[in-house]
Amino acid sequence: AQSVAQPEDQVNVAEGNPLTVKCTYSVSGNPYLFWYVQYPNRGLQFLLKYITGDNLVKGSYGFEAEFNKSQTSFHLKKPSALVSDSALYFCAVRDEGTSGTYKYIFGTGTRLKVLA
Amino acid sequence: NAGVTQTPKFQVLKTGQSMTLQCAQDMNHEYMSWYRQDPGMGLRLIHYSVGAGITDQGEVPNGYNVSRSTTEDFPLRLLSAAPSQTSVYFCASSYSGQGGETQYFGPGTRLLVL
C-alpha cells in the first residue's frame, strides 16, 4: 500500500524567508502526490499536485513542490513566507487498489508558523 | 455551486446513541470519501465510494457505516457512538478518473461523544 510521511510536526520560519515543508512517499509504480492546506476551523483546500512530467510543480498562493524520484520526496516550498501562510499542511498520495478502485492516504500534517 | 456541504456543524452524543452525518455535493462527482481528523493522527480515511451503489472501507472503518444511493449524497452512520469517535469529520468529493483528481472538502462536523 502507498503511504506518505511528514517528518516534522511543526515548522517555524520568519516572514520573508524561504520555507520548506517535507514529505516523503512510499509507492509502487508512478505516484500521484498532492498538497493540501487547512486554515483554522476550515476544511482542506487543494494547493498542488504531481501527476507526471515536470518535477517542479507550481500551485496556488505562490507555493511549489519538487518531485524527487531518487529520494522519494515531494517537498512543499515557497520562496518568501507570509504570516498568512501559517496553517496546517497535508501531503497525500493516491493508493491504487485492486479491481480499479483507489483511495487517498494523507500524512499526519505539518503545522507551519510564520513569524512576523 | 454550494460545493461540498456537511450537516450538522457540531454535535454532542451520549455513548451508545446513533446518528447520521450528512454530506452532499452538487458538482456531479463520482468519488466521495469520509475522513476523521484527530490531533497528531492527521486525516484518516473511514469509507469511500467510487460511485452510486459502490462503497469500500478505508483505514478506520469500525463503528461506521455508509451507503451511496445517489451521486450527490454520502451519509456516514454511527450505529452506537463511543468516546473514541470524538473527532472532526470531513467529507470530500472528486471526479473519478485515471489520474490525480483534486478533492474538494466540506467544512467538517465536530463530534463530541460523552
Side-chain angles (χ1 to χ4, degrees), chain A residues 45-106:
Chain A
Q45 299 176 30
F46 170 77
L47 273 181
L48 51 80
K49 62 184 176 184
Y50 173 82
I51 308 301
T52 187
D54 196 349
N55 289 344
L56 185 63
V57 178
K58 293 189 183 297
S60 306
Y61 312 121
F63 284 93
E64 58 190 27
E66 186 172 8
F67 172 70
N68 188 316
K69 191 171 184 177
S70 63
Q71 296 185 5
T72 62
S73 66
F74 188 56
H75 299 334
L76 181 70
K77 299 180 179 184
K78 188 174 182 182
S80 179
L82 299 173
V83 172
S84 57
D85 293 329
S86 298
L88 187 57
Y89 291 80
F90 289 96
C91 182
V93 67
R94 172 168 152 153
D95 183 2
E96 305 294 332
T98 57
S99 63
T101 64
Y102 60 91
K103 55 185 183 279
Y104 295 94
I105 303 299
F106 283 75

